[in-house]
Amino acid sequence: MFHAPNEFQRAPLPSATRESEPRPRGTTVTAAPPAPVANKPSAAAPAKRRDAYFDNVKYLAIVLVAVAHSWEPVMDGSRTARALYMVAYTFHMPAFIIVSGYFSRSFDMSAAKVKRLITGVVVPYVVFETAYSLFKRYADDQADPSISLLDPWYLTWFLIALFIWRITTPLWQSLRHPLPVALVIAVLASFSPTIGDDLDLQRVLQFLPFFVLGLRLRPEHFQLVRRREVRMLALPLFAGALAFAYWAAPRMQLGWFYRSNSAQEMGAPWWSGAVMTLAMFGCALLLTIGFLSWVPRRHMWFTVLGAGTICGYLLHGFLIKGAEYAGVFDVYDWLAAPVGLALVSLVAAVAVTLMCTPPVRRALRPVTEPDMDWAFRRDPAGL
C-alpha cells in the first residue's frame, strides 16, 4: 500500500480472526497472579509484527513499477515490449492503490493519524516534488525555474492522491454503497476535460474506485484470492491478457492506462471514457487478483524490502529520468532490442531492490519518516 500511514511501510492491521481468549469462569483468584508475567511477552511483541505476504506484495509491485517505467524510453520499436508494458500498467498501480485502501480502513481523522498522514505523505510529497522539479530543471536544461506543488510531476502524483483519498476515508466508510459511487465519479471524470491539471485530479478521481475497493476488503478476501484454484486460473488469464495486449499494442492509446486525461483530450468521443473506465477497472481487478494469488505467503529473501518500498518508489525516477536526460537510450539504440530490453529490466529491478534496503531507508528517514513533534500540539483534545 514506513512510519507514515500508507501502504508502503505500515504494519498490517490485526487479523479479523484474532480475538483474546475468554477467561474461564470461576478462576478469578488463580488467574490473577500470573497475569503480569503473561503480559510481558505481549509488551515485547506488540502489533508491530509485520505480515510477510503484504510485504512481498509491496516489493513485487514496486519492482513492476520500476521495470515498466524503464521500458518507456525503449519500447517504441518493439510491439512485444509495448504489450508487456500495457499488461503491467493495467494492474501494478491498481494493486498498490487497493493495498493502500486496505491499510487505510482505520483512518478516522484523529490527531495521531492526521499527524502520521502529514509526516509520512505530505512531507515526502513536498520534498520530492521540489527535488524532481530541480532535477528536471538542471539535468534537462529546462528554462522554466518554477516549482509548483499543485501540479505533480512524474511519479509524485501518487503521494498527493494518497493524501486526498485518505482524508476522504471517513466519507467512504459512511456510505452504504461506496464502490458504485466511486465508479460513477471515475466515469464522470473520464469525460470532463475541464478538471485541469491541479493536483492531478484526473488520476485521483479515475483511480479512486481501487482505493475504495481496498477500504471494503477484509482479511478473508485475501485468503480467498490465495487459493490454489485462483492461482491456476491466473495462468491462462495472464496468457490471454498478453495475447490481447499484443493485438491491441499498435491500436490502443497508452493514455487509457495512465488515467491522466479525459477521453476528449485523447481525441476520443466522450462516451468512450465511460466504456473504457469500466472496462479498465474490470481488467485491472482481474489481473490484480491473479497477481496477488501468486505472491508468496511465507517469508522470502525480499520480504524485508517491503518495509522500504517508499524509498524505491521515490528514488527510482531519478535513475530512469537521469538516463533519459543523459541520452543513454539515444546513444545505445540497441537497448530497444530484446537483449537490451532484458538488460534494462534487470538494471531497473536490481536498482529499485537496492533502493528498498534498510540502509537506504535509514538514510531517507528524515524525509519519509520525519519526527515533527515540534509542529503539533501535544494534547489537541484538551483545547
Side-chain angles (χ1 to χ4, degrees), residues 88-109:
Y89 253 81
T90 299
F91 74 92
H92 68 48
M93 284 313 299
F96 253 117
I97 296 167
I98 288 173
V99 173
S100 301
Y102 179 72
F103 286 110
S104 298
R105 295 173 299 162
S106 63
F107 187 83
D108 55 6
M109 293 297 289

Side-chain angles (χ1 to χ4, degrees), residues 201-281:
L201 283 180
Q202 275 287 358
R203 274 178 167 166
V204 172
L205 298 178
Q206 291 192 42
F207 276 115
L208 174 63
F210 298 104
F211 182 82
V212 174
L213 174 62
L215 289 175
R216 307 301 296 171
L217 294 179
R218 297 294 179 265
E220 54 267 26
H221 295 133
F222 289 95
Q223 293 293 337
L224 291 173
V225 164
R226 284 142 54 177
R227 295 174 62 180
R228 184 176 182 276
E229 50 267 38
V230 177
R231 293 199 301 273
M232 294 301 100
L233 289 173
L235 298 177
L237 173 66
F238 273 96
L242 284 171
F244 178 80
Y246 187 83
W247 171 84
R251 300 173 173 86
M252 188 174 179
Q253 292 193 55
L254 294 178
W256 295 115
F257 299 90
Y258 304 146
R259 295 174 174 85
S260 56
N261 293 293
S262 64
Q264 296 94 316
E265 290 173 300
M266 291 187 288
W270 70 269
W271 54 264
S272 64
V275 174
M276 290 300 295
T277 297
L278 297 176
M280 292 294 292
F281 178 80

Side-chain angles (χ1 to χ4, degrees), residues 189-201:
S190 70
F191 52 78
S192 300
T194 57
I195 289 179
D197 296 328
D198 290 348
L199 301 181
D200 224 344
L201 283 180

Side-chain angles (χ1 to χ4, degrees), residues 274-353:
V275 174
M276 290 300 295
T277 297
L278 297 176
M280 292 294 292
F281 178 80
C283 292
L285 184 57
L286 288 174
L287 291 180
T288 298
I289 291 173
F291 166 70
L292 294 176
S293 71
W294 277 98
V295 173
R297 309 180 194 182
R298 64 185 184 279
H299 195 283
M300 308 291 289
W301 66 266
F302 53 78
T303 301
V304 66
L305 303 178
T309 48
I310 179 62
C311 302
Y313 180 81
L314 292 174
L315 291 177
H316 82 273
F318 289 109
L319 175 65
I320 294 171
K321 285 298 182 180
E324 189 175 346
Y325 295 154
V328 171
F329 303 108
D330 296 326
V331 174
Y332 303 102
D333 53 0
W334 58 269
L335 291 174
V339 174
L341 286 169
L343 178 61
V344 167
S345 302
L346 179 62
V347 170
V350 171
V352 78
T353 297

